[in-house]
Amino acid sequence: MTDSALSVAMSELTEAQAVAVAWRDGPMFVLAGPGSGKTRVLTTRVAKLLADTPDRSFRVLALTFTNKAADEMSGRVTALVPEQERRALVGTFHSFCMQMLQQHGSHIGINPDFAIYSLDVDRQEILRDAIKQAGLAADDIRLLSTIDKLKSRLVQPSGSARYFRDPSDGKRVEQVYTAYEDALTRANALDFGSLIAQAHRLVTSFHGIAVRYRKTYAYWMFDEFQDTTDGQYQLIRALAGEDFKNVFAVADDDQIIYQWNGASYQQIQRFRADFSPQELQLPTNYRCPPAIVAAANHLVVHNIQRTTAKQPLEAGKTSLRYPNEQHIRVLRYSTDEVEAASIAEGISKIDRARWGEVTVLARTRYLLEKLQAALTRKQVSAVISQRRDDFRSPQFLWLAAVLRQALRPLDRRALEILTGAFNRWFGTDTRVDLIITATELTERSLLDEWAVAVKAALSENPGAIALVDLAAKFAKEPTRFRSFIEAVLTRIPAQDDESSDIAEDRAAWSDLVRSIGKTLGRDAPLEQFLQELAIRSKEAPVGKNTVTLMTIHGAKGKEFDHVYVVGLAEDILPSFQSLKAGENSPEMEEERRNCFVAITRAREWLCLSYADSYRGWGKQPSRFLREMGVDLPVTPAG
Amino acid sequence: MQLKRLKIANFRSIRQADIDLGPVTILIGTNNAGKSAILEAIRIALTRRWGQRGTGFTEYDVHLCDGRPDPKVGDPVVIEVELQEEAANEWPEDLHGELEDIIQLDPMSGRASIIMRVSCSWDAAEESFVPRWEFLNVDRNPLAGRGARAVNLQEFFQFLPVFYLEALRDVADEFSSRSQFWGKLLRTVQIPEPLEQKSKRIFDLLNRRLLGADPLLANLATGLSHISRVAAADVPGEADLRLLPLNTWDILSKAEVIYQTEGDKPWLPLARHGQGVQSLSIMFLFKAFVELILKDLYRPESSAVLALEEPETHLHPQAARSLWRHISELPGQKIVTTHSPYFLQHVPFRDIRVVRVGKDGTTVGSLPRQFRAPVPYIPQLDAIVAASAGLITYDRGLNELVLSGSLPQKQYRQLLVAYGDRPDRQAIHAALRKAFDTSQEFISDAELEQLETFARRIRGEIFFACRWLLVEGPSDYHLVHGIAKGLGYDLDEHGVSVIDFQNNGSPEIFAVLARALGYPWLAVVDGDAAGLDYIARIAARSFSADEIARRTYSLPAGHLEQQLVADGLQPELKAILISFGNAAAASFDDATLIATLENDKIGYAAVLAKQCAENPVLAQRMSAPFRNAILSLRGLT
């Protein structure tokens, strides 16, 4: 059965893909262009490594960048080698570090049931308390982003002062950073940056941990290696030590678009220097029509920061829906308003059943919002797809906060969220500070006190009272959280009059529960359920017949039949900042890669558009249009 | 893979217990001390079959006491097992791979450990006692993430199958086709298909022939066919007589062991043999089971844990004595309870665990090579560890400080200081104090070897005693028995073992042994230079002055004969000598009397002891140290 599933998958590989899949020991670096089947290469290689060694117990590690991609990859591996599924660890850098810290974190003082603070508001709250407790200045709260930068460079609080030119600045940051980390520790919590930084600390402090990971995970694979941050790369280095060489990285140096987040061509160069990998290129693009491939090639050769010997993309797509001359369209409009309206108009004419395969990409969110408004006017359903760190509806915010409160009865932040959400939901005005004061007298738990307070305020609302009772009962037996969730879900209204928040959150919730169930099994305890919930996006899956609007960053790794790229004008794409940095600046190159990523999302058809003015300012057409070698309209349309 | 340590709380008769386990561990103790509870704890912890009755806990498993009359209220039952590699990668690679998610690491040495906890308390919502199995990290917090997945348990149990042989072993049960070893063994037997078919044909043919041989049989079969009309509603059925097995499994399931004790005796089924043979056969059945099919039934890397109750049951002392060797040669890890001094005679000291119930719960006495303190790692330890020449180490796989011998005061102080400024120092200091104190009980391998040599004869017996009375030699041995009887405190009846240490080693080793294993003890020595030296040697093993004063008695007048004479027993002593045919004794002066007695220590002492036993008045005239020691044995702790 499975043999055949795998052998079918193997037989469908191209020659170059097959070489990559068959690669066994030693370092390998695969330069894979967009649409070259790199996910297929990775998953098939994982499956093959496992299938080839049925009697061995080592595991294979495959890391990618989003939970969605990880879920997809692990699903494919399971389909190929179901009985070996246990030996594959497919995850994100963050989930991998989370697991490492859950299992071995105690050596650096981290308990396995740590909470993950993914929301900036939560983190600011923690920092505010920390600052207060340490007697530091209240406006030090703005140092949070500085702390994040230090963390992303794996700088620990102690000694962080030396990273600042001004000693007094450094001293202050070190104090605030230390206070912040201490507060996280007291709360038994980690933030996103800590996951990587603490894993690195663990591995570098204890030789034995890295040795074990090298032994347990005999082969490592990295997807989208170009997006690895400095911290992530250092972690890989520390784990690999001097001798481990079974690293297999798939990257495209033309798709580095997270430079601002620490991704850089340097990482690829470091990988080459540190591991001396064999290199393999997968230049054949099976996604885009030939015209788009050609445009992408024309565009990207203007970059200098890329692999010198990189082969241009080759068009490998065989079945095309439209004739060749229709694959790229370039549209020019007088203003951004007209651009949005006209694009919306165009989309509204596409068969409704295909809207799910249509996307509009833009450099910034501003243009997407304009587009969404225009589409709404045309009765085209459209969502701006973006990672969501939290739910939107008070109903689901309340549900998640009650879960958290039950697990951590002393967590005041959870109390604040659940109180606020419930107030919004039922129009009550329960006050957190009064609840906290009251608990000191009554010695009730925070949640019980909240229940008492809110019930007093809810004179005539049986539905709300039932929810309060559910929560109070649940808090006494937090292990039964699944039945609590079920009960609450039946009491959350199906629809909200004003917005689609509830419906979206509900869709997101069931998606999350499914995804978490796949990672942890269906009987995972509450603390782990919440850990997994914290690291996942709460964005609803895009519904059927809905147009997706995305920033180019959000579109990475995705593909659509119809792709509109709007706002191809100087100062927009390329951005004003990159123009300021100069013609040959790294910033400009990053913008060019943004454009490269955007256009290579298209499976069938690409529409490039720009306006002569944005927000009332006159703009030139993007240089990238010229570089792509497409013809520009002489006059604006519409 | 072996269990290294077991911790139990609130389970049956055990409020709290902490037991180190070796490849073979022998549990001894009085009835109801908790030995079987320990075996049961292991069995419950290492077997969980979903939805199967008899696994997990019931209300009868909760330890009840005065402070806790209701099993539904109070602290949970907790059983914790720890496993640890002696050196990195000692466990097979596949085991590492399969159990990766639950393995904890000594991050320096790379040694792996696994800590599992089963806890159980009343769940009001479920209305039952709900057990919870979880793996822990080195800080004893439950693992999260992949380490918390239920699938880990099944894998773990596969590597560590546990088998339980109860004291009441019944051959009929153990050799039935449904039994744990025999049944499973039979089921793995594979008969080639052609042979199976051929056998079936032959059985069928023979069956028909036999049925045809006597019309009675055929008629009987027809008569029985009526069953089906009644039993099966409308469908016509048939009944037949089967005189032969239906198939080969039918044959196999009836297979039995026959055994011939000696060459000319008849071959008999096991059940026809004596209880001792039956009991032994089951143990060898286990051996065969493990060697033949364990790895097929479980995993190639699996190692069995055998919980064995009273293997000596029904065995002749000679057989019981040689039993230890057979048991130690059984595959896997063995945890054995016994009540047999004969069996214990060959058990190495370090394998013995003395289980007792005291007012502070169950105590388990042992002679460990290491003493452990659960204290957190701090960098200041490194220097202390480095300077200790191997005496002190830190186990980062279990987060424990490890002492491999008696900890000297100086290093103890250094450790206290190292943790001195921590907010949690109180708990840490208490843990260090406990480890320091118990480490004073350390007995080296050399000393134990010495004991093995000298004390083999008495060791079986003394470990089943309640109290120990140490005396110098055989004459004292006889005498204290006699005096005690005369005083109305029969030493045998009260479980007091008298140890004449001169013939069996040295006094201090017995004192240290008694302390370590929890036997209350007293010593009576001569008041001469040698006797004083004995006391000094005991005191040198970290006994406090108070304790020496409480536990040691010396004869004020010197050695035994001097003391007897000083106590005015000349008439009795002379009479004994005369009864031995030494007529001149009547006119001996004290010095001659003493010298003569010294030449025949055992002889006169035996007679005097007998007289004391029969004559309370005489017993009362015996030397005060003897009498006081005997009187203090009552209620001695």
Side-chain angles (χ1 to χ4, degrees):
Chain A
M1 271 299 282
T2 55
D3 246 338
S4 68
L6 179 58
S7 52
V8 167
M10 297 279 294
S11 69
E12 285 169 353
L13 297 172
T14 66
E15 207 172 313
Q17 287 170 344
V19 172
V21 166
W23 182 261
R24 188 69 186 258
D25 293 312
M28 169 57 98
F29 184 75
V30 179
L31 266 176
S36 60
K38 66 180 171 57
T39 309
R40 169 185 294 208
V41 165
L42 281 171
T43 50
T44 318
R45 180 166 185 258
V46 173
K48 185 172 186 312
L49 281 170
L50 297 175
D52 284 353
T53 55
D55 301 327
R56 298 289 303 278
S57 59
F58 67 75
R59 298 176 178 197
V60 175
L61 176 71
L63 296 187
T64 180
F65 276 81
T66 65
N67 283 295
K68 225 179 190 85
D71 284 355
E72 246 174 67
M73 278 175 69
S74 89
R76 284 205 218 177
V77 171
T78 309
L80 292 176
V81 281
E83 71 286 2
Q84 298 285 347
E85 179 253 342
R86 225 173 105 74
R87 291 172 57 208
L89 183 72
V90 183
T92 63
F93 269 99
H94 287 99
S95 71
F96 173 66
C97 291
M98 181 171 90
Q99 280 172 32
M100 187 192 288
L101 294 172
Q102 281 169 338
Q103 192 172 355
H104 301 293
S106 53
H107 298 299
I108 52 170
I110 293 172
N111 287 331
D113 60 347
F114 55 82
I116 295 172
Y117 285 181
S118 52
L119 296 182
D120 273 351
V121 278
D122 282 1
R123 301 172 59 229
Q124 280 158 0
E125 204 57 41
I126 282 269
L127 182 56
R128 193 168 294 129
D129 281 354
I131 286 171
K132 211 195 253 171
Q133 204 160 10
L136 299 165
D139 68 335
D140 283 344
I141 189 93
R142 56 198 171 75
L143 290 177
L144 193 56
S145 63
T146 311
I147 291 174
D148 284 347
K149 281 203 195 88
L150 287 167
K151 253 189 201 180
S152 72
R153 293 171 63 190
L154 307 178
V155 176
Q156 296 293 327
S158 154
S160 55
R162 69 195 157 88
Y163 290 84
F164 294 84
R165 216 167 295 141
D166 181 315
S168 74
D169 279 356
K171 195 176 154 215
R172 193 151 137 239
V173 172
E174 181 163 340
Q175 281 175 340
V176 176
Y177 187 10
T178 306
Y180 174 69
E181 287 296 298
D182 287 351
L184 279 179
T185 307
R186 274 197 303 277
N188 187 20
L190 296 175
D191 60 17
F192 255 47
S194 310
L195 287 173
I196 310 281
Q198 297 289 25
H200 182 262
R201 193 178 135 218
L202 177 65
V203 168
T204 46
S205 312
F206 298 106
H207 174 70
I209 305 264
V211 171
R212 178 150 196 102
Y213 274 84
R214 295 202 277 271
K215 200 178 140 209
T216 307
Y217 298 94
Y219 296 94
W220 304 352
M221 277 171 256
F222 305 101
D223 189 16
E224 311 265 17
F225 189 82
Q226 74 277 358
D227 290 335
T228 318
T229 64
D230 175 58
Q232 289 162 345
Y233 184 74
Q234 285 192 52
L235 176 65
I236 295 172
R237 277 297 286 133
L239 274 171
E242 290 309 313
D243 306 320
F244 189 84
K245 297 290 180 201
N246 289 340
V247 285
F248 184 102
V250 180
D252 187 357
D253 46 2
D254 292 329
Q255 296 188 62
I256 302 171
I257 54 174
Y258 281 95
Q259 199 155 276
W260 50 273
N261 196 26
S264 134
Y265 185 62
Q266 298 309 316
Q267 242 81 277
I268 293 180
Q269 293 294 60
R270 279 161 84 184
F271 183 80
R272 285 176 167 139
D274 290 341
F275 292 98
S276 319
Q278 289 278 315
E279 297 207 16
L280 187 72
Q281 296 200 18
L282 300 178
T284 312
N285 175 304
Y286 300 95
R287 180 189 295 154
C288 314
I292 298 174
V293 171
N297 279 332
H298 290 316
L299 172 70
V300 83
V301 288
H302 289 87
N303 273 1
I304 299 159
Q305 287 275 326
R306 64 196 289 261
T307 307
T308 336
K310 184 147 180 189
Q311 298 163 25
L313 298 179
E314 290 160 20
K317 190 178 175 82
T318 45
S319 79
L320 299 162
R321 195 186 291 167
Y322 307 108
N324 273 338
E325 62 280 9
Q326 288 178 22
H327 288 146
I328 301 185
R329 229 176 139 194
V330 185
L331 297 170
R332 172 180 170 188
Y333 300 100
S334 50
T335 66
D336 44 356
E337 298 295 339
V338 180
E339 183 186 23
S342 306
I343 298 289
E345 166 86 29
I347 292 174
S348 72
K349 286 181 183 150
I350 298 174
D351 180 7
R352 190 166 172 273
R354 287 210 166 140
W355 286 349
E357 278 308 331
V358 174
T359 189
V360 181
L361 305 180
R363 179 67 179 86
T364 61
R365 200 181 151 85
Y366 163 76
L367 290 175
L368 296 177
E369 281 163 2
K370 262 195 151 35
L371 238 304
Q372 192 181 28
L375 284 164
T376 309
R377 280 195 293 277
K378 289 279 169 197
Q379 271 103 46
V380 176
S381 60
V383 292
I384 299 180
S385 158
Q386 195 179 26
R387 182 185 164 88
R388 269 188 212 172
D389 288 329
D390 211 348
F391 295 106
R392 295 222 170 130
S393 65
Q395 289 78 5
F396 281 88
L397 286 169
W398 181 79
L399 172 58
V402 174
L403 292 175
R404 179 170 153 190
Q405 186 82 69
L407 187 67
R408 297 164 170 250
L410 302 176
D411 188 338
R412 290 182 182 196
R413 180 70 196 141
L415 179 71
E416 282 171 22
I417 299 169
L418 77 90
T419 308
F422 202 82
N423 285 350
R424 261 175 70 199
W425 188 353
F426 291 104
T428 46
D429 56 357
T430 319
R431 278 178 53 190
V432 172
D433 50 346
L434 296 184
I435 294 172
I436 292 173
T437 323
T439 54
E440 282 158 13
L441 294 172
T442 60
E443 293 186 346
R444 287 198 192 100
S445 72
L446 290 176
L447 192 78
D448 279 346
E449 197 61 55
W450 169 80
V452 171
V454 85
K455 273 170 97 167
L458 281 168
S459 48
E460 285 298 321
N461 189 338
I465 289 175
L467 278 166
V468 176
D469 288 340
L470 272 176
K473 180 162 167 266
F474 158 63
K476 289 178 184 60
E477 42 185 41
T479 53
R480 319 188 104 207
F481 70 101
R482 278 165 218 281
S483 56
F484 168 70
I485 292 172
E486 288 304 314
V488 173
L489 286 181
T490 61
R491 291 178 174 277
I492 293 179
Q495 203 94 43
D496 199 321
D497 299 338
E498 288 122 54
S499 74
S500 55
D501 285 352
I502 293 187
E504 284 179 20
D505 280 354
R506 190 187 289 276
W509 181 272
S510 56
D511 212 36
L512 283 162
V513 168
R514 198 175 314 123
S515 161
I516 293 171
K518 251 166 107 182
T519 309
L520 290 178
R522 290 218 188 121
D523 53 355
L526 180 56
E527 67 264 29
Q528 288 163 54
F529 180 82
L530 290 181
Q531 282 176 339
E532 291 286 338
L533 193 64
I535 63 169
R536 283 174 157 76
S537 168
K538 280 83 181 171
E539 178 198 342
V542 176
K544 269 189 187 155
N545 306 336
T546 302
V547 174
T548 311
L549 311 181
M550 278 191 280
T551 63
I552 296 170
H553 286 102
K556 223 180 61 105
K558 302 208 163 87
E559 54 182 6
F560 294 86
D561 285 352
H562 287 221
V563 173
Y564 292 82
V565 184
V566 299
L568 275 162
E570 296 283 288
D571 286 348
I572 313 274
L573 181 64
S575 68
F576 175 72
Q577 288 82 356
S578 68
L579 282 163
K580 227 170 61 177
E583 193 96 348
N584 297 318
S585 65
E587 287 84 351
M588 179 60 78
E589 295 210 345
E590 172 113 339
E591 291 299 300
R592 192 172 284 115
R593 289 189 296 263
N594 261 302
C595 187
F596 177 86
V597 168
I599 64 174
T600 52
R601 300 305 97 198
R603 277 198 295 248
E604 302 292 350
W605 187 83
L606 173 68
C607 177
L608 306 168
S609 68
Y610 62 98
D612 292 347
S613 81
Y614 283 86
R615 301 192 196 221
W617 298 87
K619 302 287 177 195
Q620 290 297 309
S622 169
R623 66 187 60 206
F624 299 149
L625 287 166
R626 211 171 51 242
E627 290 171 4
M628 280 185 249
V630 294
D631 295 329
L632 304 188
V634 187
T635 53
Chain B
M1 191 159 71
Q2 282 183 350
L3 302 175
K4 191 185 164 85
R5 189 155 68 179
L6 177 69
K7 289 185 191 171
I8 302 172
N10 304 313
F11 178 68
R12 300 201 183 165
S13 61
I14 302 175
R15 200 172 86 200
Q16 201 90 48
D18 194 335
I19 306 132
D20 288 329
L21 300 170
V24 188
T25 306
I26 309 293
L27 304 171
I28 61 172
T30 56
N31 292 321
N32 284 326
K35 302 184 300 297
S36 298
I38 292 171
L39 297 191
E40 272 292 305
I42 293 171
R43 189 186 63 78
I44 292 178
L46 295 182
T47 47
R48 182 176 72 164
R49 305 280 180 267
W50 289 116
Q52 193 174 317
R53 289 178 67 86
T55 63
F57 301 88
T58 69
E59 60 188 297
Y60 301 108
D61 291 325
V62 181
H63 175 76
L64 297 179
C65 54
D66 290 346
R68 184 185 197 177
D70 183 353
K72 294 179 185 172
V73 183
D75 293 336
V77 180
V78 179
I79 300 171
E80 243 176 69
V81 296
E82 289 178 14
L83 303 95
Q84 190 181 37
E85 288 183 319
E86 293 297 322
N89 301 322
E90 173 201 337
W91 294 341
E93 189 182 316
D94 278 0
L95 187 150
H96 275 281
E98 291 298 335
L99 302 182
E100 164 59 28
D101 294 332
I102 55 169
I103 279 179
Q104 288 289 290
L105 270 192
D106 179 331
M108 308 309 281
S109 70
R111 280 193 306 163
S113 52
I114 294 174
I115 313 169
M116 188 190 75
R117 175 194 291 155
V118 193
S119 53
C120 178
S121 52
W122 178 254
D123 184 319
E126 299 273 341
E127 296 204 325
S128 67
F129 286 89
V130 176
R132 181 188 169 102
W133 272 261
E134 52 200 354
F135 293 96
L136 309 181
N137 74 359
V138 293
D139 294 333
R140 310 304 191 271
N141 290 319
L143 288 178
R146 288 168 79 100
R149 298 196 300 183
V151 62
N152 294 322
L153 264 179
Q154 289 328 104
E155 290 293 336
F156 177 65
F157 290 156
Q158 280 289 309
F159 284 104
L160 210 62
V162 60
F163 302 96
Y164 197 115
L165 283 182
E166 287 175 49
L168 298 169
R169 295 180 289 276
D170 186 338
V171 167
D173 286 347
E174 294 294 341
F175 282 87
S176 90
S177 59
R178 280 192 290 274
S179 67
Q180 55 178 345
F181 307 134
W182 185 250
K184 281 182 183 153
L185 272 167
L186 291 182
R187 275 174 202 285
T188 59
V189 173
Q190 289 179 355
I191 309 279
E193 189 60 25
L195 181 56
E196 165 95 41
Q197 292 303 332
K198 193 175 173 187
S199 315
K200 201 168 160 349
R201 278 198 308 277
I202 295 172
F203 299 154
D204 290 347
L205 180 69
L206 264 179
N207 199 56
R208 274 203 305 281
R209 290 261 176 95
L210 286 168
L211 283 181
D214 187 332
L216 174 68
L217 288 173
N219 292 339
L220 193 54
T222 319
L224 287 170
S225 297
H226 294 292
I227 304 171
S228 63
R229 299 212 190 120
V230 186
D234 297 325
V235 197
E238 231 184 310
D240 199 356
L241 262 189
R242 189 76 193 185
L243 306 171
L244 286 161
L246 278 167
N247 49 37
T248 46
W249 168 246
D250 222 11
I251 299 189
L252 281 174
S253 65
K254 293 193 179 79
E256 67 176 337
V257 177
I258 54 171
Y259 179 66
Q260 182 188 34
T261 39
E262 281 164 50
D264 51 352
K265 296 274 171 64
W267 287 90
L268 289 175
L270 261 186
R272 299 281 166 196
H273 283 274
Q275 292 292 337
V277 171
Q278 295 190 18
S279 177
L280 270 182
S281 67
I282 293 163
M283 255 173 290
F284 286 100
L285 175 60
F286 167 77
K287 187 167 184 232
F289 170 83
V290 172
E291 285 167 353
L292 294 176
I293 64 164
L294 183 84
K295 297 198 181 326
D296 293 332
L297 283 181
Y298 295 89
R299 300 186 59 106
E301 305 80 13
S302 297
S303 55
V305 177
L306 175 64
L308 183 54
E309 270 185 336
E310 297 166 32
E312 73 275 9
T313 313
H314 306 301
L315 287 186
H316 185 274
Q318 287 303 340
R321 220 172 257 151
S322 65
L323 192 56
W324 185 81
R325 185 171 58 80
H326 293 300
I327 286 178
S328 66
E329 284 169 0
L330 287 177
Q333 184 174 18
K334 280 82 59 179
I335 302 150
V336 185
T337 70
T338 183
H339 288 300
S340 164
Y342 302 107
F343 175 70
L344 202 64
Q345 229 168 53
H346 289 270
V347 175
F349 284 102
R350 299 227 193 255
D351 293 345
I352 298 172
R353 304 288 178 274
V354 185
V355 185
R356 275 198 198 80
V357 190
K359 59 181 190 314
D360 299 324
T362 306
T363 59
V364 180
S366 65
L367 304 172
R369 284 196 177 88
Q370 291 183 338
F371 305 86
R372 291 173 164 258
V375 294
Y377 171 80
I378 48 170
Q380 296 95 302
L381 285 179
D382 292 343
I384 302 175
V385 167
S388 74
L391 173 67
I392 308 172
T393 48
Y394 191 84
D395 179 345
R396 298 196 70 151
L398 296 170
N399 274 3
E400 289 172 330
L401 190 80
V402 183
L403 308 173
S404 304
S406 297
L407 181 66
Q409 272 286 343
K410 188 174 144 226
Q411 271 112 320
Y412 173 50
R413 295 268 155 232
Q414 286 172 347
L415 288 170
L416 293 179
V417 171
Y419 286 100
D421 57 352
R422 289 173 61 105
D424 54 351
R425 67 175 165 275
Q426 236 180 343
I428 292 173
H429 280 189
L432 287 174
R433 164 101 221 173
K434 195 168 161 223
F436 167 72
D437 283 348
T438 48
S439 82
Q440 304 311 315
E441 296 168 1
F442 176 75
I443 303 180
S444 68
D445 287 349
E447 281 179 302
L448 282 182
E449 206 166 308
Q450 196 193 342
L451 258 184
E452 297 276 7
T453 321
F454 293 114
R456 171 148 294 160
R457 179 176 58 79
I458 60 165
R459 56 186 283 195
E461 171 203 342
I462 61 176
F463 289 129
F464 289 94
C466 304
R467 298 182 174 81
W468 292 0
L469 178 57
L470 310 183
V471 296
E472 288 192 3
S475 43
D476 307 89
Y477 177 91
H478 289 299
L479 218 44
V480 290
H481 272 105
I483 298 170
K485 213 169 206 170
L487 296 177
Y489 184 78
D490 188 305
L491 295 182
D492 291 330
E493 276 175 24
H494 289 89
V496 177
S497 232
V498 181
I499 300 169
D500 48 336
F501 58 75
Q502 276 173 338
N503 284 333
N504 292 297
S506 56
E508 68 271 21
I509 190 130
F510 284 104
V512 177
L513 201 60
R515 175 173 59 184
L517 297 175
Y519 294 95
W521 64 279
L522 294 177
V524 184
V525 299
D526 291 349
D528 55 9
L532 293 175
D533 180 49
Y534 290 142
I535 292 179
R537 274 156 63 181
I538 294 175
R541 298 301 291 260
S542 306
F543 285 96
S544 68
D546 274 358
E547 220 166 345
I548 293 296
R550 189 160 75 85
R551 297 196 185 273
T552 62
Y553 294 81
S554 66
L555 305 177
H559 62 69
L560 179 61
E561 288 72 25
Q562 289 170 327
Q563 184 64 45
L564 292 172
V565 168
D567 289 337
L569 291 161
Q570 291 93 332
E572 286 77 7
L573 294 166
K574 286 178 178 171
I576 292 168
L577 288 178
I578 292 165
S579 76
F580 288 171
N582 189 345
S587 56
F588 281 173
D589 61 7
D590 285 355
T592 318
L593 178 60
I594 290 168
T596 311
L597 289 170
E598 278 185 277
N599 282 333
D600 181 21
K601 275 175 159 313
I602 303 176
Y604 87 82
V607 177
L608 185 59
K610 193 156 179 284
Q611 290 174 358
C612 287
E614 288 160 358
N615 181 356
V617 179
L618 178 62
Q620 285 293 352
R621 284 175 53 211
M622 301 304 285
S623 176
F626 281 128
R627 284 183 288 117
N628 292 341
I630 289 163
L631 291 175
S632 338
L633 281 171
R634 293 176 202 262
L636 177 71
T637 53

